[in-house]
Amino acid sequence: REMARHLAGRCSSHAIADHKRAPLRRGRARLLVPLADAPLVRQHRVDNVVPRHANKTENAPQKTIHGETRATKTTLVLELEQADMNRIVLGDNLNILAAMDPASAQLIYVDPPFNTGRRQARPQMKTVRDITGDRIGFGGHRYRTEIVANHAAAAGYSDRFDDFLAFLRPRLEQAHRILTPTGSLFFHIDYREVHYCKILLDEIFGRDCFQNEIIWAYDYGARSTKKWPAKHDNILWYTRHPTNYTFNLNATDRIPYMAPALVGPEKASRGKTPTDVWWHTIVSPTGKEKTGYATQKPLGILERIVRVHSNPGDTVLDFFAGSGTTAEAAAKHGRRFVMIDQNPEAIAVMHRR
């Protein structure tokens, strides 16, 4: 609520009805923020909007605001301008998905909670000069590491579900409805739940619409001494149609041959197209890409998906948007995006990004 009021400023909670716009702009993305205490108004699906009291001119677009039948708490729309705008939405993704038009997104990527049973957080740390510190830094001086007060408690999210599949099912059913006939869903999960999630997706999409299980392999972090260390995630690729789908292989990046001497200098210099095993480092804890958001995924993974499985001008949807990597990949390659997350911290990170 505090974040919504901060973003809205003096804007009326009836932003659609009054057609008032808050002085907030960052690129072409728009923020949609629900107000828990907003008066009851009818939901709206907005295709194209002109000011309610504007004089109609020859070239002015027609106003097409479609009212739904159910009255509910409203969503505050900031800088509502065009139907094809990029959108960042704060709210429960199931309710928002249910209000979206069918066949309105060409590509959906989701990185839901992994049901690890623990809280996902990335605490902020700082170093303080201390002769008894735990590390040596610039100039040979010793420093101690401290966790920034209250940050770890406030950041991140709970990653525990009593019935994980029951949580996912209605959201994935909506994803199936929202995909265009040639669209694709990429579902990012890990080894703990991937087998159950694949069965669920087979039921919703059909087994013949399963195309690949992509293994994202990385080599970073602690190593168990009691079992083989888990250093990969699983990305399940499903399509709306079993054979007719977008797949622009020529748009992909190319990777080096593991044995370049065996293929000759010409092929070695060109590289090869990836397989279903993608070697890619995680987001560096000290790199420029890092946002500080827990479970942030690397831009390179999302860029490959966006380039190959959508076309310029398409709409890319991510309803567990987190740090907004999907939005950055989409915008970078000329796609529109719709990002949904119920965590105000995620919305703040995406807005900055």
Side-chain angles (χ1 to χ4, degrees), residues 287-304:
K288 293 181 179 180
E289 189 178 333
K290 177 188 172 185
T291 64
Y293 191 82
T295 70
Q296 178 185 352
K297 298 304 184 290
L299 182 60
I301 295 293
L302 270 300
E303 284 193 271
R304 182 177 291 173

Side-chain angles (χ1 to χ4, degrees), residues 7-290:
L7 290 171
R10 297 174 179 265
C11 182
S12 165
S13 61
H14 295 290
I16 293 178
D18 296 341
H19 199 74
K20 295 181 181 178
R21 291 183 288 177
L24 176 65
R25 190 178 186 109
R26 179 63 62 96
R28 296 189 64 233
R30 308 294 186 263
L31 296 175
L32 291 81
V33 185
L35 290 178
D37 59 348
L40 288 175
V41 298
R42 294 203 177 273
Q43 283 186 328
H44 294 83
R45 175 172 57 81
V46 181
D47 296 321
N48 207 343
V49 174
V50 295
R52 182 173 291 268
H53 303 296
N55 293 326
K56 180 179 178 182
T57 63
E58 183 178 351
N59 296 323
Q62 295 298 307
K63 176 169 51 184
T64 52
I65 301 178
H66 304 281
E68 303 292 342
T69 58
R70 182 170 57 91
T72 183
K73 300 283 185 179
T74 187
T75 294
L76 175 65
V77 181
L78 304 181
E79 290 212 6
L80 184 63
E81 290 182 1
Q82 298 178 3
D84 63 349
M85 64 185 177
N86 294 320
R87 283 167 284 177
I88 296 171
V89 189
L90 172 63
D92 176 40
N93 55 16
L94 184 56
N95 293 334
I96 297 164
L97 292 171
M100 292 182 67
D101 287 339
S104 56
Q106 288 81 11
L107 173 62
I108 301 176
Y109 167 89
V110 287
D111 175 24
F114 284 7
N115 198 26
T116 61
R118 60 178 184 268
R119 183 172 183 80
Q120 295 289 354
R122 180 169 289 179
Q124 273 189 354
M125 294 182 291
K126 65 178 181 179
T127 55
V128 179
R129 185 115 169 237
D130 187 338
I131 59 174
T132 63
D134 58 336
R135 62 177 63 192
I136 298 176
F138 181 75
H141 300 295
R142 298 196 72 87
Y143 295 81
R144 72 174 184 274
T145 304
E146 294 182 352
I147 296 179
V148 176
N150 298 326
H151 182 273
Y157 58 89
S158 176
D159 191 10
R160 182 190 300 273
F161 296 85
D162 294 331
D163 192 339
F164 187 50
L165 296 184
F167 167 77
L168 289 176
R169 178 182 287 276
R171 291 158 174 83
L172 294 175
E173 288 173 344
Q174 290 294 335
H176 183 264
R177 181 185 66 85
I178 291 167
L179 271 181
T180 60
T182 58
S184 291
L185 167 76
F186 282 79
F187 182 86
H188 193 142
I189 197 71
D190 74 357
Y191 66 93
R192 297 176 184 89
E193 299 285 349
V194 64
H195 310 90
Y196 310 106
C197 293
K198 185 182 184 303
I199 293 172
L200 174 62
L201 285 163
D202 282 348
E203 292 178 8
I204 296 171
F205 280 77
R207 293 184 66 178
D208 56 347
C209 288
F210 170 69
Q211 303 299 339
N212 275 119
E213 178 182 19
I214 295 167
I215 301 300
W216 168 35
Y218 44 84
D219 189 15
Y220 186 87
R223 293 179 178 273
S224 173
T225 58
K226 296 182 179 179
K227 60 181 181 179
W228 296 112
K231 297 297 178 185
H232 78 277
D233 284 2
N234 309 68
I235 305 175
L236 303 177
W237 171 29
Y238 282 80
T239 55
R240 194 65 171 79
H241 189 277
T243 59
N244 183 23
Y245 50 82
T246 301
F247 186 67
N248 304 315
L249 184 60
N250 290 335
T252 189
D253 56 312
R254 302 182 76 89
I255 60 177
Y257 283 93
M258 296 183 69
L262 298 179
V263 299
E266 182 179 348
K267 279 191 174 182
S269 63
R270 187 169 65 247
K272 61 181 180 179
T273 56
T275 66
D276 60 357
V277 178
W278 296 359
W279 287 91
H280 196 294
T281 184
I282 66 168
V283 177
S284 170
T286 58
K288 293 181 179 180
E289 189 178 333
K290 177 188 172 185

Side-chain angles (χ1 to χ4, degrees), residues 306 310-316 328-337:
V306 166
S310 66
N311 296 302
D314 283 353
T315 296
V316 180
E328 181 173 347
K332 188 174 179 180
H333 295 282
R335 279 70 164 168
R336 297 188 298 270
F337 61 78

